[in-house]
Amino acid sequence: MSASTYIVTFKGDTPDEVIEEEIKKVEASGGTINHRYNAAIKGFSVEVPDDSVNSLSFGSPHINGVEADGEVTTQGKTLLRA
């Protein structure tokens, strides 16, 4: 079974409890948290089986963005992403 990875970021003033609640929702929908971001940004990386992607819902007003995780490039050069 294949899976996709996404990065979910939150607004800077988001309480930790809100992020934890979103993590619980993602895990209940079949997602696996790969990494939590607490320094420069608030958020997490989540791996979701492709057949479960449509069951995820990110409707919180605290969420700043959701984007597919992948290689980052600039002017044809690959930047390493941790």
Side-chain angles (χ1 to χ4, degrees):
M1 173 177 14
S2 62
S4 299
T5 305
Y6 298 90
I7 295 177
V8 180
T9 57
F10 291 81
K11 296 175 183 172
D13 62 348
T14 302
D16 290 340
E17 307 84 59
V18 171
I19 296 172
E20 289 300 320
E21 197 58 40
E22 289 298 321
I23 287 172
K24 288 178 186 176
K25 289 179 191 176
V26 166
E27 291 174 333
S29 296
T32 302
I33 303 303
N34 291 330
H35 187 78
R36 295 180 189 210
Y37 303 104
N38 298 316
I41 61 171
K42 285 187 171 188
F44 54 85
S45 168
V46 58
E47 186 171 341
V48 183
D50 288 339
D51 60 356
S52 298
V53 169
N54 291 333
S55 67
L56 290 179
S57 173
F58 295 107
S60 170
H62 296 283
I63 292 178
N64 198 36
V66 179
E67 64 180 82
D69 192 9
E71 196 173 83
V72 177
T73 62
T74 178
Q75 299 175 7
K77 295 183 180 181
T78 301
L79 303 176
L80 297 178
R81 179 176 229 167

